[in-house]
Amino acid sequence: MNKHSIAGEIYVLKIGGSVLTDKGEIRKARKATIKRISKEIVQAAPKNLILVHGAGSFGHPQAKVYLKSRELKDALITHEAVKELNWLVVSALTDCGQKAIPLHPLSAVVSKGGKIVYKLNDQIELALKQGIIPVLHGDIILDDEDGFCIVSGDQLVVYAAKEFKASRVGLGTDVDGVFDDSGVVIRNLTLQDVEKQNIKGSEHVDVTGGMKEKVELLVQLAARYKIRAVLFNAAEESNVVKFLRGDDDLVGTVVTG
Ligand code: IPE
């Protein structure tokens, strides 16, 4: 059970690496998009927001090299790359007048016996209490069995949502949601639907899986903790504001248990 003492509702938002970076390149950030999303966050002014971002071209290609070589230097390169993207996000928020701090999973999250152990609660809680947005990211972390492994931004979303009993959870990707076979966005997705649907993965170099893995995690969040999440297109202007404000006209897929 969580014991935090944050006043007001808590939102968790992840912005995918495919939105913030060009996934076809290496370490190529979409700075204008990072700026636009920061402005939208400031515009919506959520009371308590835990922000998570993916790695995109600042992590996936580098992690792929590490997973092959298993060399420490490649693990470090992966962490350094995603830290660089994290700094771009934190700085963009700061430039908009929003207090934000980086929280790097490598320093506070480990994988033990195949289970991910998060030691980030205090940092998140104290940041929120001071009106600071904690900015987490997918990262490479120590593994007790085998060097390092990857914790994805999506896993961090599930962790933060359940620990802080989030009332609004969103995953901003570069597509409008989950599509059915005829290319129409599925507005409401349940566990049964997931078993029936043929949900496609990402087209890019991706060490953490694509849409299918995302939906599976969110279905568990909904089924076990009764927390619904919405998948929407954060590459489209105003959608982050709409999500944070809870606007009904946000196009996306709501994942329920
Ligand atoms: C991946 O995080 C982390 C690393 C590869 C180091 P995510 O899986 O959350 O990243 P995106 O959103 O797919 O880019």
Side-chain angles (χ1 to χ4, degrees):
M1 270 307 114
N2 84 68
K3 297 183 194 72
H4 74 73
S5 54
I6 312 290
E9 290 184 76
I10 296 178
Y11 300 165
V12 179
L13 169 65
K14 180 198 169 191
I15 306 291
S18 54
V19 178
L20 304 178
T21 78
D22 186 339
K23 271 186 127 173
E25 304 274 337
I26 305 278
R27 284 196 193 221
K28 187 150 186 243
R30 294 199 167 118
K31 290 195 178 158
T33 303
I34 295 174
K35 194 170 173 183
R36 192 237 330 136
I37 290 174
S38 301
K39 281 188 182 161
E40 290 192 31
I41 290 172
V42 171
Q43 192 189 337
K47 184 150 175 38
N48 298 297
L49 173 65
I50 302 170
L51 186 65
V52 180
H53 65 79
S57 63
F58 289 75
H60 284 280
Q62 297 82 353
K64 210 178 168 202
V65 172
Y66 166 75
L67 292 172
K68 208 162 164 232
S69 75
R70 296 273 165 194
E71 286 195 31
L72 177 63
K73 77 166 175 34
D74 293 325
L76 294 178
I77 288 170
T78 306
H79 177 65
E80 269 313 302
V82 71
K83 242 175 83 175
E84 187 183 327
L85 178 63
N86 181 260
W87 182 242
L88 293 177
V89 175
V90 169
S91 313
L93 285 164
T94 311
D95 289 349
C96 294
Q98 171 61 55
K99 291 194 228 169
I101 50 156
L103 285 186
H104 306 303
L106 172 62
S107 308
V109 180
V110 290
S111 169
K112 271 191 173 173
K115 198 173 169 277
I116 299 183
V117 184
Y118 302 89
K119 294 260 165 62
L120 284 163
N121 287 33
D122 287 344
Q123 295 90 323
I124 294 174
E125 181 177 351
L126 294 188
L128 293 178
K129 273 186 168 170
Q130 296 180 44
I132 299 171
I133 297 180
V135 187
L136 290 69
H137 55 84
D139 203 353
I140 194 155
I141 56 167
L142 280 159
D143 186 306
D144 64 346
E145 282 157 18
D146 192 15
F148 294 84
C149 67
I150 305 296
V151 61
S152 71
D154 299 347
Q155 287 170 309
L156 289 158
V157 165
V158 171
Y159 144 75
K162 75 180 171 67
E163 283 297 317
F164 289 88
K165 292 199 168 33
S167 55
R168 190 167 300 160
V169 178
L171 264 75
T173 66
D174 63 347
V175 289
D176 289 347
V178 181
F179 298 97
D180 66 15
D181 289 339
S182 46
V184 176
V185 176
I186 304 167
R187 300 306 288 250
N188 230 300
L189 200 68
T190 61
L191 182 60
Q192 289 84 344
D193 297 328
V194 173
E195 281 157 3
K196 274 190 293 182
Q197 297 286 333
N198 171 27
I199 296 163
K200 293 192 189 73
S202 165
E203 286 166 22
H204 304 284
V205 180
D206 207 321
V207 294
T208 51
M211 192 56 96
K212 193 165 182 287
E213 288 72 12
K214 219 178 269 304
V215 167
E216 280 166 2
L217 272 174
L218 297 182
V219 162
Q220 282 174 29
L221 182 68
R224 285 198 205 150
Y225 305 101
K226 309 269 171 288
I227 299 176
R228 294 147 50 106
V230 56
L231 277 153
F232 67 94
N233 192 344
E236 201 172 302
E237 213 172 310
S238 299
N239 276 353
V240 168
V241 176
K242 285 183 187 172
F243 162 74
L244 292 170
R245 288 187 176 159
D247 286 0
D248 291 336
D249 64 342
L250 174 68
V251 174
T253 300
V254 177
V255 183
T256 55

